Amino acid sequence: MPRAAALALLLVSLTACSAEDWSRAGLPEGVTKQSEAVQSLWNGSWIAALATGVVVWGLILWSVAFHRKKKNSKDELPPQVRYNLPIEILYTVVPIIMVGVFFFFTARDQNYITSMSEKPDVTVKVEGFQWSWRFTTEYNGKTAQVVGQPALDYTKGPELVLPTGSKVRFDLHSPDVIHSFWVPAFHFKLDVIPGVNNKFEIDTLDKPGVYAGRCAELCGVDHSRMLFSVKLVPQAEFDQYIASQAGAQ
């Protein structure tokens, strides 16, 4: 036991994760309200899985410890218990309840994450093409467009500027093959399919910064270079950006 505890402590130390990183269970820091729902569902799933694992491991260890073959015992099977109705009902009902609970929370959060408002603050037309992105941002009657080139670093790809504390709608389009619009900090991705107008919305939190984005669908030889960035800025800075971009067109 001491050796196992020491090994576990060593593995935790080698990951160089802070307490906050562990609380997110491997997910990056979220920057939208929807990402908070995903984080909550993710953590809850891990807790349920670990609780189930503890019960199963406990039963296995209990069986190994107390029902192992004795040294001087005869080669006879121990007393067998068949058709134990209460246990069989338990084995059936508990999994059904667990699946039902998982389904309820998953359906609830999915409906929230995919819900659409009547009038978002900002609308972004996302066009994924081989092998980069075109972002057309519409805000207060003004339009700003950014077109990128394939890049090996997300900071070298096209930069999508968005305001913090706003509702943003993404309209996804593709002129060639299937791509996937993915910003890990959103905790969400959606396919960009030719002929299909997929949409989703986010509510950005007050977390200014630059966040990586990429294509998450193998789309061709330069798929790995379909990188971009999302820059969240305060509202005043976003207003200035839109005014400068719209004036330059």
Side-chain angles (χ1 to χ4, degrees):
M1 289 299 293
R3 291 180 181 178
L7 178 60
L9 180 61
L10 176 61
L11 292 175
V12 171
S13 302
L14 289 176
T15 61
C17 293
S18 64
E20 184 178 355
D21 293 330
W22 278 99
S23 68
R24 294 198 300 267
L27 286 182
E29 180 181 5
V31 296
T32 69
K33 290 183 179 179
Q34 288 76 10
S35 67
E36 293 178 340
V38 175
Q39 183 71 71
S40 176
L41 182 63
W42 177 253
N43 288 352
S45 299
W46 269 109
I47 291 171
L50 289 174
T52 303
V54 168
V55 172
V56 173
W57 298 329
L59 290 174
I60 291 173
L61 293 175
W62 180 77
S63 300
V64 170
F66 297 102
H67 293 277
R68 64 186 185 277
K69 183 179 179 181
K70 303 298 189 294
K71 291 182 178 180
N72 299 323
S73 64
K74 299 179 181 179
D75 292 331
E76 297 178 358
L77 290 175
Q80 302 296 298
V81 178
R82 293 189 177 91
Y83 310 114
N84 190 315
L85 188 59
I87 292 180
E88 291 183 358
I89 292 176
L90 180 68
Y91 288 165
T92 304
V93 172
V94 170
I96 290 176
I97 293 175
M98 293 174 64
V99 171
V101 171
F102 272 122
F103 177 81
F104 169 78
F105 286 107
T106 300
R108 182 199 65 181
D109 291 344
Q110 177 179 302
N111 289 337
Y112 167 64
I113 293 168
T114 58
S115 63
M116 307 284 286
S117 64
E118 294 184 1
K119 189 176 180 180
D121 301 314
V122 181
T123 300
V124 181
K125 182 181 179 181
V126 177
E127 296 174 88
F129 57 89
Q130 293 177 313
W131 287 273
S132 192
W133 303 88
R134 179 184 293 106
F135 302 126
T136 305
T137 304
E138 296 182 4
Y139 173 71
N140 281 350
K142 298 179 180 180
T143 301
Q145 188 176 90
V146 177
V147 183
Q149 298 293 329
L152 294 174
D153 186 338
Y154 75 90
T155 60
K156 305 299 182 182
E159 182 180 70
L160 174 60
V161 180
L162 298 175
T164 58
S166 299
K167 185 177 292 294
V168 182
R169 176 179 295 175
F170 295 90
D171 294 336
L172 309 181
H173 303 267
S174 171
D176 40 51
V177 300
I178 297 177
H179 304 280
S180 184
F181 182 75
W182 183 32
V183 181
F186 290 176
H187 294 179
F188 184 83
K189 61 183 177 181
L190 190 61
D191 281 351
V192 187
I193 304 174
V196 178
N197 183 206
N198 282 338
K199 299 181 180 182
F200 74 98
E201 286 186 5
I202 60 170
D203 293 277
T204 57
L205 299 176
D206 188 18
K207 294 184 177 181
V210 179
Y211 303 93
R214 56 181 58 88
C215 175
E217 185 77 29
L218 184 59
C219 58
V221 64
D222 278 336
H223 158 72
S224 62
R225 300 176 65 191
M226 281 191 66
L227 306 179
F228 65 94
S229 62
V230 174
K231 184 178 182 181
L232 294 182
V233 298
Q235 185 64 51
E237 185 175 341
F238 179 74
D239 291 337
Q240 294 177 357
Y241 166 79
I242 288 293
S244 64
Q245 291 295 313
Q249 294 179 359

